[in-house]
Amino acid sequence: MDTHESTFPLIISVDDHTVEPATVWQDRLPEKYRGTGPRIVRAPVKEMTFLGGRFKPVMGAPGDDGPVGDWWVYEDLRRPLTRLDTAVGYDRDEIRLEVITYEQMRPGSYDVPARLADMDVNHVQSALCFPTFPRFCGQTFTEAKDHELGLLCVRAYNDWMVEEWCGPEAHGRLIPLTLIPLWDPELAAEEVRRNAARGVRAVAFSEIPPYLGLPSVHTDDWDPFLAACDETGTVVAMHIGSSSRMPSTSADAPPAVGSTITFANCCFSMVDWLMSGKFEQFPNLKVMYAEGQIGWIPYILERADVVWEENRGWGGVADKVHRPPSELFTEHVYGCFFDDAFGLRNLDAIGVGNVLYETDYPHSDSTWPKSREVGEAQMGHLEPEVVERIVRRNAIELLGLSDDGLWDGTR
């Protein structure tokens, strides 16, 4: 680990990312599905835009002019690897929306020993990683035509995540986050239990399922899945963009608009959960919002409490939400941040026990390799025991890690 003298605790990042190696699905799918399952093809880009929160790449044909990159091909989907998938190590002015190959990305994006080395440089001990090609909660497989193949793809990803990415080479420093078949809550519950049996304590989910054409959390549809999470102590992890719709204002709004308001879906989602009654129905259920930051939380809790109290006659939740939403938040919800000085100045209105730290490696927003320095600058006013909770202890308790911050599949 980094030997730089520092009293800042070794970081447990609850939101980093993995770029899946090209062989994840080809190595694990039955032979009959390898021609339609996810695979890498090198090809030029014909057109690529990212406006109004929508990413629209178009793959060119072999021999066409244009920059060449590695593309994931799956059924009719053509999705390129881009510089935004793995931007660490590049100057901010060099980070553009462009296609790349595996050789052009930082090896720590997909290689376990290289990832651990980059974590050492960044004062990070352990990290929970969200997917890239499946998207942040497995939407890629949910949107596919063949759900039999989709289920195999979900299970293959989870097997790779547990057995290889978080396998012996990781020495307990990589923490597994698995996917579910979102189209079937019963199958989702089975997958939660299958992975919980091998020590997994986090599952990815959509911040706003109706954006994916799925039921909302106000229905009973998700109850089998939520019951499995409640019973196994599996935290429901929701990353910004896990509804396949990044916040924006218009079809022509530049990416900077959406990047400024990325927290918005987390905000909407948290109100959904607080007003759903699910936290009282499933008392052990925990949810976390990756990359949502935390500065917005105090006002939303204040407003939710007022609405719950003052509008109980017509608000539609009096029969299922029997406690102030702010109390439910304290017991069930975690906000995650990597750069939020304002939120840290208002920590007393959020709760020391409800905040987790992250580095977002290898994305363009990542604080790598200065995550310790950023943390020191923003948490310098806090007592050491508070910093310890934010940077390590809360994650250890939430994710069932060992006391020294490592993942052990037997726990």
Side-chain angles (χ1 to χ4, degrees):
M1 297 300 297
D2 186 358
T3 58
H4 174 84
E5 289 186 11
S6 173
T7 58
F8 195 75
L10 284 172
I11 297 164
I12 298 177
S13 174
V14 296
D15 172 29
D16 287 359
H17 298 266
T18 178
V19 176
E20 300 81 18
T23 59
V24 168
W25 289 277
Q26 292 297 301
D27 283 353
R28 290 168 181 80
L29 289 176
E31 186 172 355
K32 71 172 183 175
Y33 283 121
R34 289 176 193 163
T36 51
R39 58 207 182 278
I40 286 289
V41 172
R42 188 159 290 184
V45 62
K46 184 176 181 180
E47 180 184 350
M48 188 159 59
T49 59
F50 190 13
L51 290 173
R54 301 278 184 178
F55 177 42
K56 295 182 179 178
V58 179
M59 188 170 80
D64 284 356
D65 292 335
V68 173
D70 284 336
W71 296 66
W72 281 106
V73 175
Y74 170 47
E75 292 190 338
D76 296 330
L77 178 66
R78 305 292 183 266
R79 198 281 192 193
L81 298 176
T82 77
R83 177 55 61 207
L84 301 188
D85 293 326
T86 171
V88 292
Y90 283 77
D91 183 88
R92 295 289 181 191
D93 293 333
E94 296 177 329
I95 301 172
R96 298 179 176 87
L97 181 60
E98 60 185 358
V99 294
I100 60 171
T101 65
Y102 278 93
E103 290 81 6
Q104 292 171 312
M105 69 175 70
R106 193 170 183 87
S109 303
Y110 58 85
D111 178 76
V112 171
R115 171 60 64 93
L116 299 186
D118 279 354
M119 290 162 62
D120 289 345
V121 168
N122 201 31
H123 200 67
V124 173
Q125 179 191 28
S126 305
L128 180 84
C129 297
F130 283 81
T132 296
F133 169 69
R135 311 218 296 283
F136 294 145
C137 67
Q139 305 101 294
T140 295
F141 305 125
T142 300
E143 295 168 0
K145 299 172 185 175
D146 186 342
H147 278 166
E148 180 180 352
L149 171 57
L151 179 60
L152 291 172
C153 287
V154 166
R155 289 175 173 165
Y157 178 87
N158 292 341
D159 290 344
W160 168 79
M161 167 62 61
V162 174
E163 298 166 8
E164 291 196 35
W165 184 251
C166 301
E169 253 190 337
H171 305 291
R173 296 179 59 191
L174 295 173
I175 306 162
L177 172 72
T178 51
L179 303 177
I180 54 170
L182 288 162
W183 60 90
D184 188 324
E186 294 284 355
L187 288 176
E190 289 180 17
E191 194 62 14
V192 167
R193 292 189 174 96
R194 182 176 84 93
N195 292 307
R198 44 186 179 175
V200 177
R201 292 294 177 268
V203 62
F205 191 65
S206 173
E207 60 204 350
I208 307 177
Y211 284 0
L212 303 178
L214 299 169
S216 80
V217 297
H218 300 289
T219 71
D220 295 332
D221 295 68
W222 294 107
D223 285 2
F225 164 66
L226 299 180
C229 293
D230 178 83
E231 293 164 13
T232 60
T234 299
V235 62
V236 177
M238 293 171 282
H239 195 285
I240 59 166
S242 57
S243 58
S244 295
R245 188 186 302 181
M246 293 297 290
S248 192
T249 55
S250 64
D252 59 349
V257 172
S259 293
T260 303
I261 57 175
T262 51
F263 71 92
N265 282 352
C266 298
C267 172
F268 301 158
S269 173
M270 188 179 81
V271 176
D272 256 350
W273 282 94
L274 292 175
M275 298 299 188
S276 69
K278 296 305 177 185
F279 291 142
E280 292 179 84
Q281 185 179 354
F282 301 105
N284 298 315
L285 188 63
K286 312 282 187 185
V287 305
M288 59 170 266
Y289 288 99
E291 209 173 321
Q293 314 303 336
I294 59 175
W296 53 272
I297 291 174
Y299 171 71
I300 295 300
L301 294 179
E302 177 183 288
R303 176 61 181 164
D305 279 358
V306 169
V307 169
W308 175 80
E309 177 66 32
E310 300 296 332
N311 298 349
R312 61 181 178 269
W314 60 272
V317 298
D319 62 334
K320 57 184 178 181
V321 181
H322 304 103
R323 297 165 56 199
S326 60
E327 288 186 14
L328 298 172
F329 171 88
T330 298
E331 295 177 11
H332 298 275
V333 183
Y334 295 78
C336 311
F337 77 100
F338 57 78
D339 185 6
D340 193 337
F342 179 83
L344 289 167
R345 291 196 301 270
N346 294 275
L347 195 59
D348 59 338
I350 303 169
V352 172
N354 298 86
V355 175
L356 305 166
Y357 198 43
E358 59 184 50
T359 78
D360 198 30
Y361 178 105
H363 284 182
S364 59
D365 273 340
S366 178
T367 51
W368 185 92
K370 302 291 184 181
S371 299
R372 177 187 61 218
E373 289 83 351
V374 170
E376 288 174 331
Q378 296 192 352
M379 300 184 216
H381 64 292
L382 300 174
E383 294 296 324
E385 59 268 23
V386 173
V387 177
E388 172 77 17
R389 285 194 69 180
I390 292 171
V391 176
R392 291 180 58 79
R393 183 53 50 186
N394 289 339
I396 287 172
E397 294 174 359
L398 180 64
L399 298 171
L401 306 180
S402 66
D403 286 341
D404 54 357
L406 300 174
W407 179 67
D408 178 354
T410 65
R411 289 174 65 82

